[in-house]
């Protein structure tokens, strides 16, 4: 059992430190007042409540809600749900002034508020239930703004003491005590992402090609930045992009909503997924190495200095075709003289899962046979699992593929090997697909109808993971009266009795101690090995764009002999990868011969080191292949110029 809410916080405008520019926020009250032993209180929460800055307003604005994700030093995420409303800055009972109306002095007129200050109700949790948090904070706001006869102290105490079962498909029916009836549905497997409709929304906003570009960007450890006029859309987009990486997990900075005071984080040298408000879009367009996605405009901007590796063929074409069939089902029959009745899209939640199923199939094809390349090293105190990348790339026929090489060298794949490498553990949907469905996926490549059928079968399982119980209990959460935020005589949010809240929390926790645990024990099994590693492409399509790779080798050799160190450093990694091919190795011998005069060449130490690195890379090829190539008959000496 886990706590539904770790902390409830009231954050308001700091009148004592207005500052010369934007205002500041401060924590007015927090519950409980002492930190939990297993969850420290998040620092700097006041910055994230108003990501655009604490500013006074001359209008009564609608209450807003969004979820901020904070990551602590142990890489554990804390979901901070913020409900913000505006309070009058002056005495709401009015000030008595004498005014003249038709020559008659009128006293005791109530002056309406002219300035409003933001105030945020924040719920911090290690659990990711945004709609439940929206309902709970909305209920507390409703009791306050409609002056319901319910104690705020009891609501907050019930919220902080509510325990939720772990993943396993369990349900938790609870009430905060204000006439509400709420239900928490835990997923069947906590390893599978819970996305709701966020993935479908991301494709609706950006389109297939742009989302695929962002997908490749995060897998190859590039910086991705979203901007939108909606904070909640930023959270949804970051959630969606990260979920498409399953079964990989993102291990770099993940900040769906970045406050204005922390914009310098965008200059970080590490990859990231970050979201900022659109008011800062002029600032973010000055970043040179960041891929910027405009959620509201539906465009992405890839800087010229960023080389974005794409999925290998034929997987790229197959993925694009599958996504097009799902998101645009009428496209295939658009030119028919007698088209069938209009094909309706799946409802948003199921459409979301169908898109995710396409990416699940993609990873199953990409990582087919990965378990045969796992090695268990027992020379350490604890066994270490190592993945033989070279063997995997060679057997897949992707030695020269930039995309998969970067993926296998990334931190996400290192975590994948560590987590999924053990032969005995709990399994999920990915383990089943990569072990038993790869052959079916290959057979269905040229049959769209069978492919769609398989996608929908996987989508049903993903949907069932989030909604394991088809018969959901009736839920009821009171909402504030329409237009309640426009009332003139709204008292400020009251001071909560801290002592009373603490007493009620302790009473509720004492009652819950006797409750039986509702979590399921994970079932472990031997992980199926699946099919062997085979080439990803047919023999006919295994010819790469060798002309471009040969040009890379030629340019690198030229840069070395011209002593252009900077250009050499840029092109050397690509040249070394190209030298794994026979044509590139032969090109190397030809180019070295062209740069030698009278069988001798004088190089400095740095140039000589570059040449030796290229020779070593070439000599690491199988002996049989080298015998077919030419040898070197020239002599190179090191010297100084």
């Amino acid at each position: 059992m886990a706590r539904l809410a770790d902390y409830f916080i009231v954050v308001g405008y700091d009148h004592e430190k207005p500052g010369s520019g934007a205002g500041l926020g401060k924590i007015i009250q927090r519950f409980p007042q002492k930190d939990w032993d297993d969850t420290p209180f998040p620092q700097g929460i006041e910055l994230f409540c108003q990501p655009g800055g604490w500013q006074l307003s001359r209008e009564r604005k609608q209450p807003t809600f969004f979820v901020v994700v904070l990551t602590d030093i142990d890489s554990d995420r804390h979901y901070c749900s913020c409900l913000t409303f505006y309070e009058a800055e002056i005495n709401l009972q009015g000030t008595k002034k004498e005014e003249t109306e038709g020559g008659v002095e009128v006293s005791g007129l109530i002056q309406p508020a002219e300035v409003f200050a933001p105030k945020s109700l924040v719920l911090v949790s290690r659990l990711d239930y945004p709609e439940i948090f929206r309902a709970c904070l909305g209920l507390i706001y409703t009791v306050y703004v409609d002056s319901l006869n319910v104690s705020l102290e009891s609501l907050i105490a019930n919220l902080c003491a509510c325990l939720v079962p772990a993943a396993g498909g369990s349900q938790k029916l609870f009430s905060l005590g204000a006439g509400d009836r709420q239900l928490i549905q835990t997923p069947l497997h906590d390893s599978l992402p819970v996305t709701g409709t966020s993935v479908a929304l991301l494709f609706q906003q950006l389109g297939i090609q742009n989302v695929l570009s962002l997908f490749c960007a995060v897998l190859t450890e590039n910086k991705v930045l979203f901007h939108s006029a909606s904070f909640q859309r930023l959270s949804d987009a970051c959630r969606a992009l990260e979920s498409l990486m399953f079964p990989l997990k993102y291990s770099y900075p993940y900040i769906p909503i970045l406050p204005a005071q922390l914009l310098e984080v965008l200059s970080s040298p590490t990859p990231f997924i970050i979201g900022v408000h659109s008011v800062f879009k002029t600032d973010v367009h000055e970043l040179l190495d960041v891929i910027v996605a405009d959620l509201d405009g539906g465009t992405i901007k890839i800087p010229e200095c960023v080389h974005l590796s794409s999925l290998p063929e034929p997987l790229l074409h197959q993925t694009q075709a599958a996504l097009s069939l799902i998101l645009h089902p009428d496209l295939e029959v658009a030119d028919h003289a007698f088209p069938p009745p209009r094909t309706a899209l799946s409802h948003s939640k199921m459409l979301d899962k169908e898109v995710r199923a396409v990416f699940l199939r993609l990873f199953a094809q990409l990582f087919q046979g990965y378990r045969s390349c796992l090695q268990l090293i027992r020379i350490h105190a604890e066994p270490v699992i190592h993945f033989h990348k070279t063997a995997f790339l060679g057997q897949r026929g992707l030695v020269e593929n930039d995309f998969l090489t970067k993926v296998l060298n990334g931190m996400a794949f290192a975590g994948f090997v560590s987590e999924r490498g053990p032969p005995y553990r709990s399994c999920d949907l990915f383990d089943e697909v990569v072990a038993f469905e790869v052959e079916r996926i290959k057979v269905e490549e040229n049959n769209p109808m069978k492919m769609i059928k398989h996608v929908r079968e996987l989508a049903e399982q993903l949907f069932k993971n989030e909604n394991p119980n088809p018969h959901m209990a009736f839920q009821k959460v009171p909402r504030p009266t329409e237009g309640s935020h426009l009332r003139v005589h709204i008292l400020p949010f009251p001071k909560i009795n801290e002592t009373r809240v603490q007493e009620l929390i302790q009473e509720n926790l004492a009652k819950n101690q006797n409750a039986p645990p509702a979590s399921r024990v994970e079932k472990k099994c031997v992980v199926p090995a699946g099919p062997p590693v085979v080439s990803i492409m047919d023999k006919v399509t295994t010819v790469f764009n060798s002309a471009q790779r040969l040009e890379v080798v030629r340019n690198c050799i030229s840069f070395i002999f011209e002593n252009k160190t900077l250009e050499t450093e840029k092109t050397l990694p690509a040249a070394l990868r190209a030298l794994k091919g026979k044509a590139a190795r032969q090109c190397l011998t030809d180019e070295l011969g062209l740069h030698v005069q009278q069988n001798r060449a004088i190089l400095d130490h740095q140039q000589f080191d570059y040449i030796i690195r290229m020779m070593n890379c070439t000599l690491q090829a199988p002996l049989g292949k080298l015998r077919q190539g030419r040898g070197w008959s020239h002599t190179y000496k090191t010297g100084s110029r």
Side-chain angles (χ1 to χ4, degrees), residues 68-362:
V68 174
V69 181
L70 304 181
T71 306
D72 62 23
I73 195 172
D74 297 321
S75 299
D76 294 325
R77 290 184 181 176
H78 302 264
Y79 300 91
C80 305
S81 304
C82 305
L83 188 149
T84 301
F85 56 95
Y86 284 78
E87 291 182 338
E89 188 69 1
I90 66 172
N91 184 0
L92 294 178
Q93 296 305 318
T95 56
K96 293 184 178 181
K97 293 184 180 180
E98 293 186 355
E99 296 188 3
T100 302
E101 184 177 323
V104 180
E105 291 186 352
V106 181
S107 62
L109 291 176
I110 297 178
Q111 304 299 319
E114 296 181 355
V115 179
F116 302 87
K119 180 167 285 187
S120 297
L121 306 180
V122 184
L123 189 155
V124 181
S125 175
R126 290 165 296 174
L127 305 177
D128 187 15
Y129 295 114
E131 293 307 313
I132 293 293
F133 299 151
R134 183 197 297 266
C136 291
L137 291 177
L139 182 63
I140 294 174
Y141 173 76
T142 300
V143 170
Y144 147 68
V145 75
D146 285 345
S147 302
L148 300 183
N149 188 24
V150 179
S151 168
L152 287 174
E153 286 80 3
S154 64
L155 291 181
I156 296 170
N158 291 338
L159 178 61
C160 293
C162 180
L163 299 181
V164 179
S170 303
Q171 289 184 331
K172 169 75 174 184
L173 192 64
F174 72 99
S175 171
L176 297 185
D180 60 309
R181 178 185 173 90
Q182 303 188 56
L183 178 70
I184 294 178
Q185 174 64 69
T186 63
L188 286 174
H189 302 281
D190 55 2
S191 62
L192 294 177
V194 176
T195 56
T197 60
S198 60
V199 172
L201 178 61
L202 182 63
F203 276 86
Q204 178 184 340
Q205 292 169 319
L206 296 179
I208 294 175
Q209 190 56 50
N210 286 341
V211 175
L212 282 177
S213 296
L214 295 180
F215 171 74
C216 293
V218 294
L219 284 182
T220 54
E221 301 188 343
N222 286 284
K223 304 175 184 179
V224 174
L225 177 69
F226 292 100
H227 70 78
S228 171
S230 164
F231 290 123
Q232 191 56 40
R233 290 292 173 89
L234 290 174
S235 293
D236 291 340
C238 292
R239 173 197 294 268
L241 183 58
E242 186 187 33
S243 68
L244 292 179
M245 294 178 62
F246 177 81
L248 302 180
K249 294 182 179 179
Y250 196 71
S251 54
Y252 287 105
Y254 175 83
I255 313 173
I257 301 176
L258 184 70
Q261 296 90 333
L262 301 179
L263 286 179
E264 63 270 15
V265 173
L266 298 176
S267 301
S268 167
T270 62
F272 56 66
I273 297 177
I274 291 180
V276 298
H277 197 275
S278 290
V279 296
F280 306 114
K281 64 182 178 182
T282 55
D283 300 325
V284 303
H285 278 289
E286 298 175 0
L287 301 170
L288 298 178
D289 60 343
V290 179
I291 299 173
V292 180
D294 180 2
L295 293 175
D296 305 332
T299 61
I300 69 170
K301 178 184 176 183
I302 304 176
E304 293 182 359
C305 62
V306 174
H307 170 66
L308 191 59
S309 302
S310 298
L311 286 165
E313 292 291 358
L315 295 185
L316 176 59
H317 174 73
Q318 293 171 6
T319 303
Q320 290 173 330
L323 291 172
S324 181
L325 283 173
I326 292 169
L327 296 170
H328 310 294
D330 290 342
L331 182 62
E332 192 177 12
V333 296
D335 291 340
H336 289 189
F338 306 100
R342 183 176 177 83
T343 305
L345 284 171
S346 305
H347 67 81
S348 55
K349 285 189 176 181
M350 187 55 70
L351 183 65
D352 182 277
K353 306 304 174 285
E354 290 175 0
V355 172
R356 284 178 54 192
V358 172
F359 284 87
L360 185 61
R361 285 165 48 100
L362 169 64

Side-chain angles (χ1 to χ4, degrees), residues 261-522:
Q261 296 90 333
L262 301 179
L263 286 179
E264 63 270 15
V265 173
L266 298 176
S267 301
S268 167
T270 62
F272 56 66
I273 297 177
I274 291 180
V276 298
H277 197 275
S278 290
V279 296
F280 306 114
K281 64 182 178 182
T282 55
D283 300 325
V284 303
H285 278 289
E286 298 175 0
L287 301 170
L288 298 178
D289 60 343
V290 179
I291 299 173
V292 180
D294 180 2
L295 293 175
D296 305 332
T299 61
I300 69 170
K301 178 184 176 183
I302 304 176
E304 293 182 359
C305 62
V306 174
H307 170 66
L308 191 59
S309 302
S310 298
L311 286 165
E313 292 291 358
L315 295 185
L316 176 59
H317 174 73
Q318 293 171 6
T319 303
Q320 290 173 330
L323 291 172
S324 181
L325 283 173
I326 292 169
L327 296 170
H328 310 294
D330 290 342
L331 182 62
E332 192 177 12
V333 296
D335 291 340
H336 289 189
F338 306 100
R342 183 176 177 83
T343 305
L345 284 171
S346 305
H347 67 81
S348 55
K349 285 189 176 181
M350 187 55 70
L351 183 65
D352 182 277
K353 306 304 174 285
E354 290 175 0
V355 172
R356 284 178 54 192
V358 172
F359 284 87
L360 185 61
R361 285 165 48 100
L362 169 64
F363 274 110
Q365 292 174 281
L366 207 58
F367 292 162
Q368 176 187 349
Y370 80 95
R371 300 202 65 82
S372 63
C373 294
L374 294 173
Q375 298 175 331
L376 191 63
I377 303 174
R378 299 182 180 274
I379 61 175
H380 303 284
E382 293 185 3
V384 176
I385 297 176
H386 173 71
F387 184 77
H388 201 310
K389 300 173 187 175
T390 305
F392 183 76
L393 289 171
Q395 295 179 59
R396 295 292 276 155
L398 295 173
V399 171
E400 302 180 15
N401 183 262
D402 288 341
F403 175 80
L404 191 55
T405 300
K406 291 179 180 179
V407 171
L408 298 185
N409 290 329
M411 287 185 62
F413 189 76
F416 172 86
V417 172
S418 176
E419 180 180 346
R420 295 185 177 266
Y424 186 75
R425 56 173 172 80
S426 57
C427 296
D428 57 22
L429 184 58
F430 171 76
D431 296 304
E432 297 176 9
V433 175
V434 77
F436 306 116
E437 302 288 344
V438 173
E439 290 300 326
R440 175 181 176 181
I441 294 173
K442 190 172 182 179
V443 170
E444 296 170 349
E445 287 178 3
N446 299 319
N447 192 324
M449 297 303 296
K450 289 185 177 180
M451 183 271 294
I452 289 294
K453 181 182 178 182
H454 186 219
V455 165
R456 288 177 175 166
E457 289 174 2
L458 295 176
E460 286 285 350
Q461 296 185 60
L462 292 171
F463 182 80
K464 186 178 180 181
N465 179 69
E466 297 182 19
N467 307 273
N469 296 292
H471 304 291
M472 300 289 286
F474 173 72
Q475 300 185 65
K476 172 188 174 185
V477 181
R479 296 168 60 93
T481 305
E482 186 175 355
S484 57
H485 68 285
L486 298 175
R487 295 173 186 162
V488 177
H489 306 293
I490 303 178
L491 295 174
F493 192 81
K495 183 84 171 178
I496 305 298
N497 188 330
E498 298 173 347
T499 304
R500 180 58 180 159
V501 171
Q502 192 62 34
E503 291 175 354
L504 292 173
I505 290 177
Q506 294 301 326
E507 290 179 8
N508 291 336
L509 289 177
K511 295 178 183 177
N512 291 331
Q513 284 180 352
N514 299 325
S519 60
R520 296 183 182 180
V521 179
E522 287 188 350

Side-chain angles (χ1 to χ4, degrees), residues 536-591:
I536 201 169
M537 289 175 275
D538 298 329
K539 293 182 179 179
V540 179
T541 59
T542 55
V543 179
F544 292 89
N545 187 2
S546 57
Q548 183 178 0
R549 299 186 181 279
L550 297 183
E551 188 65 25
V552 170
V553 174
R554 294 189 185 100
N555 290 338
C556 187
I557 293 294
S558 298
F559 292 147
I560 292 174
F561 279 92
E562 293 170 8
N563 207 17
K564 295 181 178 180
T565 306
L566 183 60
E567 287 81 357
T568 302
E569 290 289 349
K570 289 181 179 179
T571 57
L572 186 62
L576 293 177
R577 287 195 296 270
L579 287 173
K580 296 174 182 177
K582 177 184 175 182
R585 293 196 297 270
Q586 184 167 345
C587 175
L588 174 65
T589 63
D590 296 338
E591 289 299 311

